[in-house]
């Protein structure tokens, strides 16, 4: 019922910036939680940032706090992840995810829909 499509990944150098976008379709309501996860080679898929549907509650992983910013445009049903000061350790496949509850959750199991992912590679 809901489709998510990520874009904006690519190959960049350390210190560069990228802006990831996630477009949601198939559901008219915007009362949901949006999040970005990432999965590096050989590691678990972990939450990077999340935002409750009203945007008043956000979460950032310690590793990205101060460098990444999650935002959303409910009118366009778009979610963004602005990534600044990228480091090689940020290299991963980034996934956007949607939780229909609208409440901020930090576990993978709480999210109902997932995008296919976009690769971010940061060279040293």
């Amino acid at each position: 019922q809901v489709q998510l499509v990520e874009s904006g990944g690519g190959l960049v150098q350390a210190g560069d910036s990228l802006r990831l976008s996630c477009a949601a379709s198939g559901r008219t309501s915007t009362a949901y939680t949006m999040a970005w996860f990432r999965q590096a080679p050989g590691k678990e898929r972990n939450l990077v940032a999340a935002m409750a549907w009203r945007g008043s509650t956000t979460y950032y992983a310690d590793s990205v706090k101060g460098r990444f910013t999650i935002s959303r445009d409910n009118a366009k049903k778009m979610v963004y992840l602005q990534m600044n000061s990228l480091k090689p350790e940020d290299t991963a496949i980034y996934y956007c995810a949607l939780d229909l509850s609208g409440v901020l959750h930090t576990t993978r199991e709480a999210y109902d829909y997932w995008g296919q992912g976009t690769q971010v590679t940061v060279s040293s």
Side-chain angles (χ1 to χ4, degrees):
Q1 186 175 350
V2 176
Q3 296 82 43
L4 303 175
V5 180
E6 306 98 331
S7 62
L11 174 63
V12 298
Q13 295 181 335
D16 285 353
S17 297
L18 279 176
R19 190 192 192 201
L20 304 183
S21 299
C22 178
S25 63
R27 186 180 179 91
T28 59
S29 175
T30 57
Y32 43 70
T33 301
M34 294 297 300
W36 289 93
F37 287 76
R38 69 184 181 186
Q39 186 168 23
K43 298 183 179 180
E44 295 288 324
R45 185 179 300 185
N46 294 319
L47 179 65
V48 176
M51 177 177 284
W53 75 279
R54 290 190 180 276
S56 59
T57 303
T58 58
Y59 168 88
Y60 294 96
D62 290 341
S63 59
V64 307
K65 196 170 186 178
R67 299 188 297 122
F68 291 10
T69 303
I70 187 171
S71 61
R72 63 195 294 174
D73 184 338
N74 287 335
K76 297 181 178 180
K77 296 199 291 185
M78 296 286 293
V79 181
Y80 308 96
L81 184 67
Q82 178 67 44
M83 305 185 294
N84 297 326
S85 301
L86 283 163
K87 305 174 181 179
E89 63 197 63
D90 296 319
T91 296
I93 301 175
Y94 285 72
Y95 301 87
C96 64
L98 183 152
D99 174 7
L100 293 172
S101 74
V103 177
L104 195 151
H105 293 110
T106 59
T107 62
R108 297 187 302 274
E109 292 76 14
Y111 290 83
D112 302 289
Y113 297 96
W114 295 83
Q116 294 182 338
T118 185
Q119 177 71 48
V120 173
T121 302
V122 184
S123 63
S124 60

